[in-house]
Amino acid sequence: MSDESCVALLVGAGDGIGAAVARRFAAGGYKVCIARRDAAKARALVDELTAAGHCVQAYSVDARREAQVQNLCESVERDVGPIEVCLFNAGANVQKPLLETTDELFFKVWELACYAGFLVGREATRRMLRHGRGTMLFTGATASVRGGKGFAAFAAAKFGLRGLAQSMAREMGPKNIHVAHLILDGGVNSVAIHNRKKVQLGIEPWQIPAGSLAETSSIAEAYWFAHMQTRDAWTHELDLRPSVETW
């Protein structure tokens, strides 16, 4: 449900999916709190949404640090309002041959893409339980369900995050907290993907076929859809991909 007194807390909200979700929930009447490693990087988005008349704030947080995540949730609830919906969108999409994957790299990918999800999910739902309702959203990937060549670290982390989401859904559902895991199976129309295609394929953004990348606004609409579902028909897992994607 939409409530102008409630908050959408977006953790790991970068300039792509996170920004699109911020715009969608702001348009839906929510106060939006954007949390990323460096809040200053969200300045342009904050200014954009503020100019449009929305309530939005940005926070600096390292989602891998328990105390910082706890302080974030307490600050939001104290200064902005009750957390109605929380999105965990942080990740570390690293592709590396197995024999070149160091223990440090493996741990860092797991720590950001899985452990941080546990901390955010636990602390956000802890607050939701106080209010008797809420939605916890997790961003998954192809690697959540299939370990591809060169993705040992990323797949292990994303498999773990998916398992966390399933466990949380079974525990929190009866307590009126909707936990949903959205699998993004395919490229996202973003600067990061544009740069990757230029390096790997030597093509410019304007050469990428129309409709072959998922638009961030379309992804944000799926998150909004999941959040607005009534509790008699909740979706736990939703997979999204462009129509041309091979799967």
Side-chain angles (χ1 to χ4, degrees):
M1 61 180 293
S2 177
D3 187 334
E4 292 184 357
S5 68
C6 290
V7 173
L9 173 60
L10 315 177
V11 181
D15 300 326
I17 294 172
V21 174
R23 293 185 182 99
R24 182 62 185 88
F25 275 82
Y30 281 82
K31 298 176 181 178
V32 176
C33 291
I34 299 166
R36 55 189 298 178
R37 190 80 61 87
D38 182 2
K41 292 183 178 180
R43 186 72 262 166
L45 179 60
V46 171
D47 290 344
E48 171 196 327
L49 294 178
T50 300
H54 302 300
C55 177
V56 56
Q57 295 192 38
Y59 296 82
S60 294
V61 66
D62 185 340
R64 302 169 300 176
R65 302 293 175 256
E66 182 180 43
Q68 290 190 35
V69 174
Q70 291 172 333
N71 289 338
L72 168 68
C73 291
E74 284 302 308
S75 296
V76 169
E77 292 250 324
R78 181 186 64 244
D79 302 331
V80 186
I83 299 171
E84 170 80 14
V85 56
C86 179
L87 167 64
F88 178 75
N89 189 61
N93 190 348
V94 175
Q95 183 175 11
K96 204 80 165 175
L98 179 67
L99 299 185
E100 296 177 22
T101 302
T102 64
D103 58 339
E104 180 181 12
L105 176 61
F106 188 94
F107 180 78
K108 287 179 66 176
V109 172
W110 168 82
E111 191 178 32
L112 180 60
C114 183
Y115 175 64
F118 156 71
L119 292 177
V120 172
R122 186 190 66 186
E123 295 306 317
T125 55
R126 190 191 302 276
R127 276 75 186 175
M128 292 173 188
L129 285 171
R130 297 174 184 171
H131 314 305
R133 70 184 194 194
T135 302
M136 184 68 220
L137 303 168
F138 292 98
T139 297
T142 305
S144 301
V145 295
R146 185 171 72 246
K149 178 182 177 181
F151 288 98
F154 188 56
K158 282 297 188 179
F159 265 66
L161 184 69
R162 187 185 187 214
L164 168 72
Q166 288 183 4
S167 294
M168 286 184 61
R170 292 182 170 97
E171 184 173 346
M172 293 296 174
K175 299 176 182 178
N176 201 30
I177 296 176
H178 183 189
V179 180
H181 178 251
L182 280 78
I183 297 173
L184 307 184
D185 181 24
V188 177
N189 196 2
S190 63
V191 174
I193 295 298
H194 294 169
N195 292 338
R196 187 179 304 169
K197 284 186 174 293
K198 186 172 183 177
V199 171
Q200 295 177 343
L201 305 174
I203 61 176
E204 299 292 340
W206 59 269
Q207 295 176 302
I208 299 173
S212 63
L213 296 177
E215 298 296 334
T216 56
S217 58
S218 299
I219 295 170
E221 200 63 45
Y223 283 112
W224 177 258
F225 161 76
H227 173 56
M228 295 301 291
Q229 288 180 319
T230 56
R231 64 179 302 181
D232 62 299
W234 275 350
T235 295
H236 169 64
E237 193 160 78
L238 184 66
D239 57 330
L240 308 174
R241 64 182 60 84
S243 60
V244 299
E245 187 73 24
T246 300
W247 62 289

